[in-house]
Amino acid sequence: MPRNRGVTLVELLFTVAILAIALSIAAPSFSELLSNHKASTATQDLRSTLDFARESAVHSGQPLTIAPLEGNWTSGWEVFVDPDNRGVRAPANPPLIIHGPLGIRQIQTDSTSRRYIHFTSRGNSIQPNGAFHSGTLTLCGDGDSSFRIVINKAGRIRTESGATETLCPR
């Protein structure tokens, strides 16, 4: 009658060693994948908020502003009606959207997008002085990929991707 044999200690240790080697090779790649995904998701969140602000300004006929929380885009942002193009929400005026921190390293802006982005009822993006606003928001992740959101003078928005070393020099 054949005897049922279990796994020997040597076989078990050999299997564990092979798994440890495979995981040590896969872990850095998985970490990089998660970092790149986090930056991509953050970009999609900010881009969808900008699209919402522009479209809502056109549909409602009211100018809208998207402004960073605490003066820092990395801390989050809020969207609100801003008829005077001041970039500051009045206490009596409730925000339409509030978005918290994204969990990425930083968001770099050009000088015209640092304080806020304002969309008119025509969908244009303008500066406080009434001039056309065109600018960029660069989302710097911890992985190899980072993203840039570009707003042209007509208020149209596009997204670009690139290497973190190129878009976000340290």
Side-chain angles (χ1 to χ4, degrees):
M1 180 175 275
R3 245 176 81 197
N4 284 340
R5 265 184 50 171
V7 179
T8 66
L9 181 60
V10 173
E11 292 170 332
L12 182 62
L13 289 175
F14 186 71
T15 304
V16 170
I18 289 174
L19 281 172
I21 291 170
L23 286 175
S24 69
I25 292 170
S29 299
F30 186 67
S31 174
E32 184 70 27
L33 178 70
L34 287 177
S35 295
N36 289 339
H37 181 70
K38 188 184 286 188
S40 175
T41 302
T43 303
Q44 291 171 4
D45 284 353
L46 182 53
R47 167 73 192 260
S48 65
T49 302
L50 287 165
D51 286 336
F52 168 81
R54 182 174 188 240
E55 291 170 14
S56 295
V58 171
H59 290 297
S60 69
Q62 297 180 330
L64 294 179
T65 290
I66 175 171
L69 294 175
E70 303 167 11
N72 182 357
W73 286 99
T74 309
S75 299
W77 55 82
E78 62 182 350
V79 177
F80 52 90
V81 176
D82 187 9
D84 301 327
N85 190 10
R86 295 179 325 158
V88 178
R89 183 175 59 84
N93 185 10
L96 301 174
I97 292 178
I98 294 180
H99 195 290
L102 294 172
I104 59 172
R105 187 168 30 112
Q106 77 180 104
I107 298 177
Q108 298 174 351
T109 64
D110 62 355
S111 61
T112 58
S113 303
R114 188 164 291 128
R115 289 184 41 236
Y116 66 93
I117 299 168
H118 183 79
F119 291 101
T120 68
S121 59
R122 297 175 128 201
N124 296 334
S125 175
I126 62 171
Q127 296 180 37
N129 63 4
F132 286 118
H133 169 264
S134 60
T136 60
L137 299 160
T138 305
L139 290 87
C140 302
D142 293 322
D144 288 339
S145 298
S146 288
F147 300 88
R148 179 177 288 152
I149 298 173
V150 180
I151 304 167
N152 73 10
K153 67 179 185 178
R156 292 192 188 107
I157 304 162
R158 76 176 193 279
T159 306
E160 302 173 346
S161 62
T164 299
E165 299 164 353
T166 305
L167 294 179
C168 305
R170 291 184 185 211

